[in-house]
Short mmCIF file of all heavy atoms in Angstrom, two decimals:
data_model
loop_
_atom_site.label_atom_id
_atom_site.label_comp_id
_atom_site.label_asym_id
_atom_site.label_seq_id
_atom_site.Cartn_x
_atom_site.Cartn_y
_atom_site.Cartn_z
N GLY N 6 -1.82 0.06 -31.59
CA GLY N 6 -1.14 1.29 -31.28
C GLY N 6 -1.90 2.19 -30.33
O GLY N 6 -1.32 2.75 -29.41
N ALA N 7 -3.25 2.25 -30.50
CA ALA N 7 -4.05 3.03 -29.64
C ALA N 7 -4.06 2.47 -28.21
O ALA N 7 -4.01 3.19 -27.24
CB ALA N 7 -5.49 3.13 -30.18
N GLY N 45 -9.96 7.53 -9.79
CA GLY N 45 -11.28 7.11 -10.20
C GLY N 45 -11.26 5.76 -10.88
O GLY N 45 -12.12 5.43 -11.72
N LEU N 61 4.98 -1.03 -8.02
CA LEU N 61 4.85 0.40 -8.28
C LEU N 61 6.04 1.19 -7.67
O LEU N 61 6.55 2.08 -8.31
CB LEU N 61 3.56 0.86 -7.67
CG LEU N 61 3.26 2.42 -7.79
CD1 LEU N 61 3.34 2.89 -9.23
CD2 LEU N 61 1.86 2.69 -7.22
N ARG N 79 24.25 14.21 -18.54
CA ARG N 79 24.11 15.37 -19.39
C ARG N 79 25.16 16.46 -19.01
O ARG N 79 25.80 17.06 -19.86
CB ARG N 79 22.71 15.92 -19.30
CG ARG N 79 22.46 17.12 -20.23
CD ARG N 79 20.96 17.42 -20.29
NE ARG N 79 20.38 17.66 -18.98
CZ ARG N 79 19.54 16.84 -18.40
NH1 ARG N 79 19.12 15.77 -18.98
NH2 ARG N 79 19.02 17.16 -17.22
N GLU N 87 32.62 21.11 -23.88
CA GLU N 87 33.21 22.43 -23.68
C GLU N 87 34.66 22.43 -23.37
O GLU N 87 35.30 23.46 -23.11
CB GLU N 87 32.45 23.19 -22.59
CG GLU N 87 30.99 23.52 -23.00
CD GLU N 87 30.17 24.07 -21.83
OE1 GLU N 87 30.71 24.08 -20.68
OE2 GLU N 87 29.05 24.50 -22.07
N THR N 130 16.77 -2.50 -10.42
CA THR N 130 17.14 -1.15 -9.99
C THR N 130 18.63 -0.92 -10.06
O THR N 130 19.10 0.25 -9.98
CB THR N 130 16.68 -0.89 -8.55
OG1 THR N 130 17.36 -1.86 -7.68
CG2 THR N 130 15.20 -1.06 -8.40
N ALA N 188 35.13 6.59 -2.08
CA ALA N 188 34.97 7.39 -0.85
C ALA N 188 34.39 8.76 -1.17
O ALA N 188 33.47 9.24 -0.49
CB ALA N 188 36.34 7.56 -0.16
N LEU N 196 26.92 14.97 1.61
CA LEU N 196 26.74 16.42 1.53
C LEU N 196 25.30 16.72 1.08
O LEU N 196 24.62 17.61 1.65
CB LEU N 196 27.74 17.03 0.54
CG LEU N 196 29.18 17.14 0.98
CD1 LEU N 196 30.09 17.42 -0.22
CD2 LEU N 196 29.32 18.30 2.03
N GLN N 204 19.93 18.89 7.77
CA GLN N 204 21.00 18.90 8.79
C GLN N 204 21.88 20.12 8.77
O GLN N 204 22.54 20.42 9.70
CB GLN N 204 21.84 17.64 8.66
CG GLN N 204 21.19 16.40 9.33
CD GLN N 204 20.38 15.64 8.33
OE1 GLN N 204 20.06 16.15 7.30
NE2 GLN N 204 20.06 14.39 8.66
N GLY N 232 42.88 22.29 -13.28
CA GLY N 232 41.94 23.28 -12.85
C GLY N 232 42.44 24.13 -11.67
O GLY N 232 41.67 24.61 -10.87
N PRO N 238 51.93 15.10 -3.27
CA PRO N 238 53.03 14.21 -3.63
C PRO N 238 52.44 12.82 -3.97
O PRO N 238 51.80 12.20 -3.13
CB PRO N 238 53.89 14.17 -2.36
CG PRO N 238 53.53 15.43 -1.67
CD PRO N 238 52.08 15.71 -1.97
#
Side-chain angles (χ1 to χ4, degrees):
L61 178 54
R79 184 168 56 248
E87 294 172 351
T130 62
L196 285 166
Q204 281 91 344

